[in-house]
């Protein structure tokens, strides 16, 4: 039986939001698992490492394109029901991955996983926003994003450890178990949010698609893509940069990446606290600082101590803008599942932009080139954030007063 609808949004972050974060953790762990299991997968599937690398791209493209399509197909169902359906699809994708004996089967498994992962992320973030009072949506988004940060910090090492000790199939079975646990917790503790937390939130599919054309919404999507693109232009290449240019020992790199992950957790917590009342200023200051840290990292790449400081700075101010980005998007377009899934797709597009263009620059311009690309994208992101300064609602969440009607002119 479906649990009763929450009568009023909570004024503190409820347990349900933490459970949704656990679901996001499972999804992100699956997303990054291939990166830590490339040699084992190549051997097990009888192919080269370079082809295994394409599995990362396949997953990202499936997220970007397929996620919104799956979300649209589930709009008629209550959010909790839609989430459970997505969990079932995601579980099927990971079980198929664990059973795969050929490269084509693994490609299919990654497509299924990518589509479900993006749809889950969008609907979960939408639910997080609707389960709480609008004045603490940034904090709720921050809790949800902790699933993303912990997926990067702990999920990848977990998958790599299990795969290295027990085989890559065991890693996907572990992710399947995490997914199953998340599904059980959703059944037990997550309730459907109220139908509408704000005027105009209950919309038809046609209305939701119309929202995607709003200028402020489009600007918000653009800034999110550029912020994440700027960060991943550097993050995607940290390992070769730190070993080949900065000069750190290869065995030290995992610890440096762990420190980077810890910095993202700290930054995410701070941004989540600021995102509700200082949405646009947080985005401007954070993205501006990220541009500064990227510049420092580019200039001092071959100096270990400064390079480490600037790398940690990127961790504090890069992907950690997610809570503020989500609040801006929700104020510009609403808290509906499609809005949040489309936003997640544009975030994934930023990952693709930073990593793909950065890769293309390296052969002719070296390992510093992606960092310079990140600086350019961060500056463009600042330009995309600026239009939000014109709206008090986007800046701080203040309700904008409707214009008073002009008095009719007497013709007597």
């Amino acid at each position: 039986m479906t649990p009763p609808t929450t009568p009023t949004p909570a004024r503190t972050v409820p347990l349900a939001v933490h459970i949704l974060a656990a679901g996001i953790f499972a999804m992100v762990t699956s997303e990054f698992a291939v990166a830590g299991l490339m040699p084992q997968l190549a051997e097990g599937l009888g192919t080269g490492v370079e082809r295994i690398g394409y599995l990362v791209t396949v997953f990202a493209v499936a997220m970007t394109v397929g996620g919104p399509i799956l979300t649209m197909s589930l709009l008629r169902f209550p959010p909790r029901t839609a989430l459970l359906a997505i969990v079932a699809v995601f579980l099927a994708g990971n079980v198929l991955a664990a059973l795969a004996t050929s490269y084509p089967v693994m490609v299919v498994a990654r497509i299924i996983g990518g589509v479900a992962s993006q749809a889950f992320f969008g609907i979960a973030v939408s639910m997080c926003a609707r389960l709480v009072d609008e004045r603490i949506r940034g904090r709720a988004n921050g809790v949800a994003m902790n699933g993303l940060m912990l997926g990067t910090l702990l999920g990848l090492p977990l998958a790599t450890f299990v795969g290295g000790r027990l085989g890559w199939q065991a890693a996907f079975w572990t992710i399947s178990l995490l997914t199953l646990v998340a599904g059980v917790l959703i059944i037990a503790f997550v309730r459907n949010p109220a139908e509408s937390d704000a005027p105009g939130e209950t919309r038809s599919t046609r209305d939701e698609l119309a929202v995607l054309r709003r200028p402020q919404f489009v600007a918000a999507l653009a800034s999110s893509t550029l912020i994440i693109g700027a960060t991943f232009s550097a993050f995607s290449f940290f390992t070769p940069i730190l070993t080949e240019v900065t000069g750190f020992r290869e065995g030290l790199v995992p610890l440096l990446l762990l420190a980077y992950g810890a910095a993202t957790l700290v930054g995410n917590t701070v941004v989540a606290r600021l995102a509700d009342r200082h949405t646009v200023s947080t985005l401007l200051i954070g993205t501006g600082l990220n541009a500064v840290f990227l510049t420092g990292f580019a200039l001092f790449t071959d100096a270990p101590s400064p390079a480490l400081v600037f790398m940690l700075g990127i961790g504090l101010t890069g992907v950690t803008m997610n809570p503020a980005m989500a609040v801006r998007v929700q104020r510009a377009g609403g808290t509906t599942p499609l809005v949040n899934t489309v936003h997640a797709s544009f975030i994934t597009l930023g990952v693709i932009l930073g990593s793909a263009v950065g890769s293309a620059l390296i052969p002719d311009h070296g390992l510093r080139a992606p960092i310079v690309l990140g600086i350019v994208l961060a500056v463009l992101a600042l330009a995309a954030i600026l239009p939000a300064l014109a709206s008090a609602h986007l800046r701080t969440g203040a309700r904008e007063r409707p214009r008073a009607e002009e008095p009719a002119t007497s013709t007597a």
Side-chain angles (χ1 to χ4, degrees):
M1 188 173 78
T2 303
T5 299
T6 303
T8 55
R11 294 188 178 181
T12 58
V13 179
L15 174 63
V17 173
H18 293 272
I19 289 171
L20 294 174
I24 292 173
F25 171 80
M27 308 283 165
V28 174
T29 300
S30 179
E31 178 182 357
F32 290 132
V34 168
L37 299 171
M38 283 189 176
Q40 298 97 318
L41 283 167
E43 182 179 354
L45 298 176
T47 189
V49 171
E50 68 283 354
R51 291 189 74 199
I52 299 300
Y54 287 125
L55 293 175
V56 178
T57 305
V58 164
F59 195 95
V61 172
M63 289 175 70
T64 304
V65 178
I69 295 173
L70 179 57
T71 300
M72 285 184 65
S73 71
L74 295 171
L75 287 178
R76 70 186 67 181
F77 298 101
R80 178 175 172 275
T81 303
L83 274 185
L84 291 172
I86 292 167
V87 167
V89 172
F90 187 76
L91 178 61
N94 280 280
V95 169
L96 181 62
L99 296 173
T101 56
S102 67
Y103 183 79
V105 173
M106 181 61 77
V107 169
V108 172
R110 297 303 284 171
I111 290 173
I112 293 171
V115 170
S117 175
Q118 193 78 315
F120 184 94
F121 187 88
I123 294 177
V125 170
S126 173
M127 287 188 72
C128 289
R130 291 177 163 207
L131 287 168
V132 300
D133 187 281
E134 64 178 332
R135 289 169 292 185
I136 63 165
R137 281 178 180 168
R139 288 172 57 190
N141 283 323
V143 170
M145 296 307 165
N146 276 337
L148 174 63
M149 306 304 164
L150 288 171
T152 306
L153 180 63
L154 301 177
L156 174 58
L158 173 65
T160 304
F161 176 80
V162 172
R165 297 296 187 278
L166 303 175
W168 59 266
Q169 295 95 336
F172 285 105
W173 284 122
T174 301
I175 294 167
S176 298
L177 178 61
L178 290 174
T179 305
L180 188 60
V181 170
V184 171
L185 291 174
I186 290 170
I187 291 172
F189 298 108
V190 177
R191 298 183 176 188
N192 284 314
E195 283 299 314
S196 178
D197 297 340
E201 283 295 286
T202 302
R203 299 193 291 249
S204 66
T205 302
R206 188 175 186 180
D207 292 334
E208 288 211 44
L209 292 173
V211 168
L212 307 185
R213 298 194 294 269
R214 291 179 185 174
Q216 283 287 11
F217 181 68
V218 173
L221 294 179
S223 65
S224 293
T225 300
L226 292 166
I227 289 168
I228 298 302
T231 304
F232 272 80
S233 294
F235 174 77
S236 300
F237 308 99
F238 273 163
T239 297
I241 289 171
L242 293 173
T243 55
E244 297 178 30
V245 181
T246 312
F248 284 110
R249 290 183 294 104
E250 192 170 318
L252 193 59
V253 171
L255 293 177
L256 299 179
L257 294 179
L258 189 65
Y260 173 88
T264 65
L265 274 177
V266 173
N268 184 70
T269 301
V270 173
V271 171
R273 291 285 177 176
L274 299 172
D276 293 299
R277 295 186 180 180
H278 310 285
T279 311
V280 178
S281 57
T282 298
L283 286 170
L284 285 171
I285 293 170
T287 304
L289 286 173
N290 197 30
V292 171
F293 291 135
L294 285 164
T295 301
F297 193 55
L299 292 175
F300 297 97
T301 316
D302 53 0
S305 295
L308 178 58
V309 170
F310 288 122
M311 184 186 82
L312 294 178
I314 296 168
L316 285 169
T317 59
V319 296
T320 58
M321 291 299 106
N322 261 304
M325 286 157 41
V327 171
R328 181 188 176 190
V329 163
Q330 289 163 3
R331 287 177 182 162
T335 60
T336 58
L338 185 58
V339 163
N340 287 281
T341 305
V342 168
H343 182 219
S345 289
F346 274 80
I347 289 174
T348 306
L349 183 61
V351 175
I352 297 171
L353 174 66
S355 57
V357 177
S359 295
L361 291 172
I362 289 173
D364 293 329
H365 304 285
L367 283 167
R368 276 191 175 92
I371 310 172
V372 176
L373 170 66
I375 299 168
V376 173
L377 294 178
V379 172
L380 292 175
L382 289 171
I385 295 167
L386 288 175
L389 289 172
S391 168
H393 180 56
L394 295 179
R395 290 198 312 271
T396 64
R399 289 290 176 192
E400 296 176 339
R401 296 178 182 176
R403 293 180 181 178
E405 293 184 6
E406 296 185 8
T409 303
S410 175
T411 56

